[in-house]
Amino acid sequence: MKVFVLNSGSSSIKFQLFDCVGAPAALAKGVVERIGLAGSRLTCACSRAPHNPSCPAKRVAADVPDHATGIKLVCNCLLNKACGLLDRLDEVAGIGHRVVHGGESFTESVRITEVVIDAIENCVKLAPLHNRPALMGIRAGTEVFPNVPQVAVFDTAFHQTLPRHRYLYAAPLEFYEEYGVRKYGFHGISHQYVARKAARLLGTGPERLKAITCHLGNGSSITAVDSGKSVDTSMGFTPLSGVMMGSRSGDLDPYIPLFLHTEAGIELNRIPEVLNKESGLKGVCRLRDVRDVLAGAERGDKQCRLALDMFVYRLAAYIGAYWVILGGPDAIVFTAGIGENVPEVRRRVLEKFRFLGVTVDEAKNAENAVDISGKNTSVRVLVIPTNEELVIAQETARIVDALDAAGAATRRDQSALPRPP
Ligand code: ADP
């Protein structure tokens, strides 16, 4: 079974084609960029390309006025006979879409229907920058593959298990009741994936796992997982809150935006830009990539050192809070760009938990090994590469299989009906 995974942005579509017979395997991945703009192009890496010099894909410039044209361009590339990834478009059995915000409507992945599209549209006001492009991708998918089931996999769904006293803000309750103002949480696909992998590595069932999962990329969030379920998470109503990030502020006093408007004359409509794109590491030391910040700190740059101190402190503060909430985890799990690749950040964060018995094997930490726990550690420390696209492919294949099984059962029932006289 071939499954297409699409992650649509306003002017881009990231895609992967999976073969989901048995353990899913990625056949090709790439991106269509600058959709609707001058200079649009497709970049594709095919799993067979290293052995296949006639693969034309790598980089193709093309006119791509909209998302449907982008998907058609990807299909033409994947149909290339020399690669043999796809002989016919009807080999695609399902299309999985990453949808950032499912609000309170979705606790799991679903087949996309008109009702589901309406519900995703209802969440556009909560995440306009993400849900609007996802809908563009879904509509384009329907246009190019009218008869193929499409599935939505939500970043918020995993966090729908947060108890009410944790997802509510201490503000007038009408804000929640009338406007849906509450903590939703994000990166749920990643937190759920690494939590399940951690359970497997610890030799326990996911329903028994207590873990603190740290998704540390440009956007970062930390989740407390109890009995395999998300019970608290650092991002909130939007992906702006929580820990300090590459260019996002994370938590700050809620009065600050208003103060900046009245005292510093920053226009209200510029404040989201300032807090999303000019804050975090970048706000403190002008660099948002942790590799650059580490290099700066090594050279003795004071602002880079300060930014790193702040970053590590805020991560540790959330991990400490969730340690208490969980009554002690079984594991701390690191994932995403920084979590998977930056030993220095892991070492500095974990150092703060030495008094709770956490130890780290420095050699394994330096190699980004999967289990970096030290001798006699109180809690296992794991580094697990995330794979959100794989989860979307698995979820899509699972739902398509269920649809096929239901279709076969209906056909069986109908054939068992007595024939009309
Ligand atoms: P996002 O998906 O949120 O855009 P990523 O998960 O790619 O972000 O993480 C980006 C961050 O991870 C950057 O700060 C970068 O420094 C760091 N990072 C990514 N890859 C590596 C690597 N191979 N070595 C060191 N740091 C890395």
Side-chain angles (χ1 to χ4, degrees):
M1 180 199 291
K2 306 262 168 74
V3 165
F4 234 146
V5 171
L6 301 181
N7 184 352
S8 304
S10 56
S11 65
S12 71
I13 305 172
K14 291 191 191 128
F15 65 89
Q16 284 203 32
L17 179 70
F18 281 87
D19 188 347
C20 288
V21 177
L27 299 174
K29 72 187 272 191
V31 61
V32 185
E33 289 167 289
R34 300 188 59 81
I35 297 173
L37 304 167
S40 22
R41 60 176 180 251
L42 159 71
T43 313
C44 178
C46 147
S47 62
R48 311 216 169 127
H51 321 291
N52 176 16
S54 60
C55 175
K58 324 254 182 321
R59 252 177 182 226
V60 183
D63 187 24
V64 187
D66 52 41
H67 284 60
T69 312
I71 294 178
K72 285 179 196 157
L73 185 67
V74 174
C75 291
N76 283 341
C77 169
L78 297 175
L79 283 167
N80 167 45
K81 291 265 177 299
C83 299
L85 297 179
L86 211 54
D87 291 328
R88 300 178 320 272
L89 277 193
D90 62 12
E91 281 176 62
V92 176
I95 303 178
H97 294 268
R98 180 191 196 152
V99 181
V100 165
H101 219 306
E104 292 186 320
S105 305
F106 301 104
T107 55
E108 57 185 1
S109 312
V110 286
R111 182 188 183 177
I112 296 172
T113 59
E114 281 307 317
V115 175
V116 168
I117 291 179
D118 286 348
I120 296 173
E121 229 149 25
N122 264 333
C123 296
V124 163
K125 58 182 176 296
L126 298 173
L129 297 181
H130 293 104
N131 272 30
R132 217 171 261 139
L135 284 164
M136 288 157 91
I138 290 169
R139 293 203 179 96
T142 314
E143 188 181 324
V144 182
F145 292 93
N147 301 315
V148 175
Q150 301 196 66
V151 169
V153 183
F154 299 93
D155 263 318
T156 47
F158 182 53
H159 302 301
Q160 279 296 301
T161 45
L162 257 64
R164 195 171 163 82
H165 70 281
R166 294 191 190 157
Y167 70 65
L168 283 176
Y169 290 112
L173 204 54
E174 302 89 82
F175 290 0
Y176 167 62
E177 290 166 346
E178 287 174 32
Y179 302 102
V181 173
R182 53 159 285 178
K183 179 185 275 199
Y184 289 100
F186 299 88
H187 292 143
I189 304 169
S190 175
H191 287 292
Q192 185 170 23
Y193 174 75
V194 298
R196 285 192 179 157
K197 278 236 151 181
R200 223 170 297 146
L201 285 165
L202 298 184
T204 180
E207 69 292 343
R208 304 243 301 268
L209 180 78
K210 277 209 247 183
I212 299 170
T213 53
C214 309
H215 177 109
L216 311 181
N218 282 319
S220 297
S221 65
I222 299 187
T223 293
V225 177
D226 198 354
S227 308
K229 296 192 171 113
S230 170
V231 294
D232 206 352
T233 191
S234 61
M235 283 179 168
F237 180 60
T238 71
L240 182 57
S241 68
V243 298
M244 181 173 174
M245 303 177 223
S247 64
R248 288 180 228 167
S249 62
D251 293 339
L252 41 71
D253 185 318
Y255 189 69
I256 291 171
L258 198 57
F259 179 85
L260 290 176
H261 175 60
T262 52
E263 291 298 314
I266 299 181
E267 289 301 327
L268 278 180
N269 60 10
R270 228 188 77 69
I271 285 178
E273 174 92 358
V274 173
L275 297 181
N276 274 301
K277 303 209 168 137
E278 297 165 21
S279 300
L281 294 170
K282 188 175 171 197
V284 178
C285 69
R286 310 216 170 275
L287 301 167
R288 77 169 212 165
D289 190 304
V290 159
R291 286 169 287 199
D292 299 334
V293 183
L294 281 166
E298 189 111 316
R299 284 194 308 271
D301 182 299
K302 285 202 174 90
Q303 275 158 308
C304 289
R305 287 190 172 172
L306 172 64
L308 270 181
D309 288 346
M310 291 170 65
F311 185 66
V312 166
Y313 171 78
R314 283 156 183 251
L315 293 176
Y318 262 100
I319 295 173
Y322 291 166
W323 190 293
V324 174
I325 281 168
L326 293 173
D330 305 320
I332 300 176
V333 184
F334 289 92
T335 192
I338 301 167
E340 292 166 27
N341 298 297
V342 188
E344 169 89 1
V345 167
R346 293 191 300 256
R347 185 184 58 73
R348 288 190 54 185
V349 168
L350 292 166
E351 230 169 47
K352 300 196 187 294
F353 295 89
R354 204 177 286 151
F355 80 106
L356 285 167
V358 178
T359 64
V360 177
D361 182 317
E362 278 312 327
K364 288 188 180 153
N365 185 38
E367 308 164 352
N368 301 318
V370 173
D371 190 343
I372 60 169
S373 319
K375 238 181 168 184
N376 301 324
T377 187
S378 57
V379 158
R380 294 277 284 281
V381 190
L382 304 172
V383 178
I384 301 180
T386 194
N387 195 338
E388 288 152 299
E389 291 74 19
L390 179 77
V391 177
I392 298 171
Q394 283 169 330
E395 287 289 274
T396 305
R398 179 178 66 76
I399 289 173
V400 169
D401 273 340
L403 287 170
D404 287 349
T410 311
R411 283 194 296 280
R412 262 200 315 277
D413 288 351
Q414 280 168 349
S415 65
L417 289 175
R419 285 169 194 268

